[in-house]
Amino acid sequence: MQDNSYTDKHNMTDPDSEEANNSVETDATVVTPAQTAATGANTAAQLSTDPDIINPHVWKILMDHGYDCVFTISIPDRIVHFEHITVDHAYEAIYPDTFLEEIDYRSFCDTLRPHVVPEEQDPFSSELELDHVCDEIKERGDFVRTVHMIVEDERLSKSVRIQSNIYDDNYLIGFIYDISSSLDHDWMTDEYARFGFAKKAGELLKDSADDTAYSLIYTNIKGFKAINELFGEQSGDMVIFHARDILKSVLKPLVIGRLESDHFILITEDANLTKENLKILANQTYTEGSRQYDFTIRCGIYHLTRPTPSITIMIDRARLAEQSIPNLEGYSYMVYNDEVRAGYINRQQLSSDMNPALEKDEFKAYYQPIVDAYSGKIVSAETLVRWKHGKLGMISPGQFIPVFESSGQISILDKLMADKVMSFNSNRCKNNKKIVPCAVNLSRVDFYNSALMDYLIELYTNNPRAKDCMRIEVTESAYANLESNASVYLRRLKELGVKILLDDFGSGMSSLSTLEGFEFDTVKLDMGFIRKIGLNRKSETIIRSTINLSHALNATVTAEGVETVEQLDFLKVAGCDYIQGYYFYKPMPEDEFSDLLD
Ligand code: C2E
Ligand code: CA
Ligand code: CA
């Protein structure tokens, strides 16, 4: 097979010959290696006719380093003819000698099938049915699939591409192209991607000294989204490069790779994981012109044990450790341990406990009154969910909301809260009792749930008094993240007269552009700001100007988390309209709130 790797029916191996020179014009089915390797058919044809520029041996090398095989398919008689087959002993089993002759298309597929990984064999056979291929080419212009093959115990990724032959409708041209190495690498940083990392790490660990301690690290750039939003994606990219360089110089990894977006994975000796080094990673500054942004590279650390579990498990554990780092200042890394594991099992548990909890009515609506800053009178309330878990007792939303958000269950809960608010206020109305509008919290995930959104829109449409009973609170990041989804629904709700509140204003980084993009009725100043009253002059200035800005944009302002009289006094002078916080009221159960209103 080696010597005949170029089939010679069309004399393609000899570009000097007349036939080769004319091949493009005279024989529509001919594909020279040059044509297939270069994208522009014209240039390729030119090059291939001039042996002084690139001779056939060079073409052969080029082909061998990319294309496993290039073939044409005659559609009427379903025959495959091979134009090129790579010279490599490893491929001999896959592309056998029979491929030197013409074979029928079905046998071609049947010969390849056993080399495809087992789970892909059936789809491989059915997808590559010639009629199916032709249909797809007619519809989309080409047929492209990635299949995985095992070659000498190595799993390789192959792109199978079949396209029409513009010179003759009766023929198709096919390529099988090895894309393993491009899949192994991350296109952006050129470090390993997940698969390449796993391969390399596996090799390294096999050869590494048993008495040296290693760890696998999963990183997360805290504040990355803010950098992207503030400075643009290009700056975000620069931060990724910056992070990679810092990680390399500080942790001296044996192997490093990038998973998606700002997450790197690496293996390093434990000796490199000193407090000082981790502190350097925690205190990074990105500078662009005169602008500066501080960010933290957070590390989830998994100490390797022998025998090591699979790379996937190690990455999962390091990631879990990273996700368990408390969102508090001064925390930037976490080592995977039993506690982290228990936290994870807990989260799984919470998620599966939701349905029984709904049946047992364990989710309660609590109400936190919001008062007028000047009169101290209750003008509205925020509805906050509480879970009275049968076994675990009272669980705070901070624990279960993120779990339900990532599992998608949050929308069930938010709908439940909306229903509870509506029935609470409707009942009071019926009994001629005072009502105040109560705001329900919508999670960013809710905007992906069209059923919930339609439900709310219908509720407000069919019940004109609903807008006096219930308002909607969205977080700044929900709005910034989901520009299109969120804004479409929020605009429709606003058209129906529903008041929309912007929650946690000032906790993210995109505040001002958020305000400009949508006309919110109320801006809720984040607790983090309020805490700095009396402590930080700069924050006080920001609060004052945020209140003025909101007023200029026709929005009222509610301060959240007001706990002291000093905070209240400052906010009154600054012109803040409403106050929510323990200074006046804590969140309370429905009957208590009901009594309070009475
Ligand atoms: P949030 O929307 O910012 O709600 C305000 C949180 O601040 C509440 O915590 C409230 O109890 C607390 N808070 C109010 N005043 C003070 C104060 O003076 N001092 C202090 N230290 N805290 C105060 P909670 O109820 O634990 O809720 C936490 C977060 O969980 C909420 O933050 C909200 O993002 C989310 N959440 C709560 N209920 C729901 C819900 O029904 N649906 C959704 N999607 N999220 C909810
Ligand atoms: Ca809220
Ligand atoms: Ca809030």
Side-chain angles (χ1 to χ4, degrees):
M1 177 161 140
Q2 264 83 341
D3 294 333
N4 290 321
S5 66
Y6 285 123
T7 52
D8 59 5
K9 186 182 165 207
H10 300 292
N11 260 347
M12 286 168 35
T13 44
D14 184 1
D16 284 333
S17 78
E18 265 303 301
E19 204 181 330
N21 285 347
N22 295 329
S23 61
V24 172
E25 290 88 52
T26 53
D27 186 344
T29 68
V30 168
V31 188
T32 68
Q35 278 173 284
T36 55
T39 38
N42 285 338
T43 0
Q46 253 167 26
L47 291 178
S48 69
T49 55
D50 190 344
D52 292 337
I53 298 176
I54 298 182
N55 71 36
H57 303 291
V58 177
W59 278 121
K60 198 158 144 349
I61 293 167
L62 288 176
M63 294 297 287
D64 281 353
H65 280 83
Y67 294 92
D68 285 16
C69 109
V70 178
F71 52 93
T72 54
I73 306 165
S74 159
I75 302 172
D77 46 14
R78 297 179 171 246
I79 290 289
V80 178
H81 173 85
F82 294 92
E83 309 292 355
H84 165 84
I85 290 173
T86 280
V87 184
D88 183 334
H89 77 277
Y91 289 161
E92 274 167 26
I94 299 180
Y95 307 105
D97 282 351
T98 46
F99 280 16
L100 295 180
E101 290 132 38
E102 293 180 335
I103 59 170
D104 73 271
Y105 182 76
R106 162 84 37 113
S107 341
F108 170 56
C109 294
D110 289 348
T111 313
L112 294 182
R113 185 185 151 110
H115 303 284
V116 172
V117 295
E119 65 273 21
E120 289 176 12
Q121 286 183 359
D122 285 345
F124 174 81
S125 297
S126 62
E127 296 269 298
L128 266 107
E129 284 280 350
L130 192 53
D131 294 338
H132 178 245
V133 170
C134 289
D135 285 350
E136 194 161 317
I137 290 173
K138 225 178 268 160
E139 215 171 281
R140 306 189 8 193
D142 60 7
F143 172 95
V144 186
R145 293 290 184 279
T146 301
V147 294
H148 297 94
M149 288 183 173
I150 304 287
V151 179
E152 292 192 334
D153 289 339
E154 211 180 323
R155 185 185 157 106
L156 297 178
S157 308
K158 304 284 180 187
S159 174
V160 178
R161 172 186 287 271
I162 304 177
Q163 58 193 55
S164 53
N165 178 349
I166 51 168
Y167 297 107
D168 190 335
D169 294 346
N170 289 324
Y171 289 89
L172 298 173
I173 307 175
F175 315 91
I176 300 180
Y177 185 69
D178 194 284
I179 52 172
S180 310
S181 79
S182 36
L183 288 187
D184 276 358
H185 283 80
D186 165 37
W187 59 274
M188 191 174 132
T189 60
D190 205 34
E191 301 299 342
Y192 286 111
R194 174 189 290 271
F195 185 59
F197 178 86
K199 224 159 61 178
K200 183 78 190 163
E203 284 164 24
L204 275 170
L205 293 175
K206 231 191 302 173
D207 302 337
S208 68
D210 261 5
D211 51 358
T212 314
Y214 297 97
S215 287
L216 188 146
I217 318 288
Y218 174 94
T219 72
N220 179 19
I221 301 174
K222 195 169 172 232
F224 182 68
K225 233 173 42 207
I227 295 173
N228 260 338
E229 281 171 9
L230 267 183
F231 300 140
E233 268 174 37
Q234 231 163 5
S235 302
D237 290 353
M238 296 317 292
V239 170
I240 288 178
F241 286 120
H242 176 89
R244 174 199 60 185
D245 296 342
I246 290 289
L247 284 167
K248 279 182 157 177
S249 76
V250 174
L251 295 184
K252 305 188 174 53
L254 299 174
V255 51
I256 183 167
R258 189 174 75 115
L259 299 180
E260 64 293 321
S261 95
D262 54 330
H263 305 298
F264 286 95
I265 38 176
L266 60 94
I267 290 179
T268 183
E269 284 185 22
D270 282 3
N272 294 322
L273 295 172
T274 58
K275 282 227 162 67
E276 295 73 50
N277 280 348
L278 291 164
K279 205 162 160 193
I280 296 175
L281 298 178
N283 298 304
Q284 286 299 312
T285 302
Y286 174 67
T287 313
E288 192 179 86
S290 58
R291 294 186 295 187
Q292 271 201 354
Y293 190 74
D294 296 337
F295 65 95
T296 293
I297 303 178
R298 307 210 314 177
C299 297
I301 301 170
Y302 174 70
H303 290 318
L304 268 55
T305 47
R306 307 238 174 206
T308 54
S310 77
I311 299 282
T312 313
I313 289 181
M314 294 196 280
I315 295 175
D316 281 350
R317 290 183 177 170
R319 184 200 283 119
L320 209 57
E322 192 282 320
Q323 287 166 347
S324 310
I325 301 172
N327 261 326
L328 299 169
E329 231 160 275
Y331 290 87
S332 73
Y333 64 91
M334 175 79 93
V335 176
Y336 178 87
N337 56 22
D338 286 349
E339 215 174 301
V340 170
R341 196 180 128 80
Y344 173 69
I345 291 170
N346 246 337
R347 288 205 286 275
Q348 301 281 85
Q349 185 67 46
L350 289 182
S351 172
S352 59
D353 281 353
M354 185 199 220
N355 276 333
L358 286 169
E359 276 166 30
K360 289 183 241 159
D361 196 26
E362 289 179 354
F363 294 107
K364 304 290 178 198
Y366 270 50
Y367 296 83
Q368 184 174 29
I370 295 168
V371 304
D372 182 287
Y374 301 93
S375 66
K377 277 198 187 128
I378 299 172
V379 289
S380 64
E382 175 172 5
T383 314
L384 295 157
V385 65
R386 293 290 177 267
W387 186 356
K388 290 188 173 166
H389 193 285
K391 279 187 230 123
L392 303 171
M394 195 74 129
I395 317 175
S396 91
Q399 276 178 285
F400 62 84
I401 299 266
V403 177
F404 292 165
E405 276 179 339
S406 57
S407 69
Q409 291 164 301
I410 188 68
S411 304
I412 302 172
L413 193 68
D414 286 341
K415 177 177 176 294
L416 179 75
M417 287 301 119
D419 288 343
K420 283 190 188 282
V421 166
M422 285 310 298
S423 86
F424 173 67
N425 270 341
S426 314
N427 276 336
R428 288 186 62 87
C429 266
K430 257 188 235 145
N431 297 319
N432 284 324
K433 290 183 166 177
K434 173 186 167 173
I435 65 157
V436 293
C438 301
V440 292
N441 288 283
L442 287 193
S443 160
R444 69 186 99 150
V445 184
D446 291 335
F447 291 99
Y448 281 124
N449 189 316
S450 54
L452 173 64
M453 289 296 131
D454 292 341
Y455 178 81
L456 290 173
I457 287 166
E458 221 175 287
L459 187 147
Y460 283 113
T461 311
N462 297 339
N463 180 352
R465 298 184 65 182
K467 61 179 190 292
D468 303 320
C469 298
M470 188 168 70
R471 295 174 172 172
I472 283 182
E473 220 169 286
V474 293
T475 63
E476 187 181 359
S477 58
Y479 193 72
N481 272 349
L482 289 171
E483 269 304 328
S484 57
N485 258 23
S487 63
V488 167
Y489 285 119
L490 289 178
R491 268 176 234 286
R492 280 180 67 188
L493 289 165
K494 206 171 153 65
E495 277 161 22
L496 293 168
V498 183
K499 294 244 187 301
I500 312 288
L501 287 65
L502 179 56
D503 202 0
D504 303 337
F505 186 80
S507 63
M509 296 303 295
S510 57
S511 315
L512 297 179
S513 61
T514 316
L515 273 188
E516 194 192 45
F518 184 82
E519 221 178 280
F520 288 95
D521 297 284
T522 300
V523 170
K524 299 187 74 173
L525 288 181
D526 188 63
M527 250 179 266
F529 267 141
I530 309 303
R531 287 217 186 96
K532 290 187 178 146
I533 293 174
L535 303 173
N536 184 328
R537 271 289 170 80
K538 225 168 159 182
S539 298
E540 291 182 353
T541 310
I542 295 176
I543 293 174
R544 266 192 292 262
S545 46
T546 307
I547 292 172
N548 291 336
L549 179 73
S550 305
H551 286 163
L553 294 168
N554 268 331
T556 56
V557 179
T558 301
E560 282 190 300
V562 177
E563 296 184 353
T564 67
V565 69
E566 289 78 27
Q567 292 167 346
L568 176 66
D569 289 343
F570 172 89
L571 289 162
K572 272 167 127 171
V573 174
C576 180
D577 306 281
Y578 307 112
I579 308 289
Q580 175 179 3
Y582 295 173
Y583 181 76
F584 287 102
Y585 301 102
K586 287 193 172 180
M588 55 187 79
E590 192 175 283
D591 44 1
E592 212 172 291
F593 181 52
S594 188
D595 291 345
L596 183 69
L597 286 179
D598 292 343

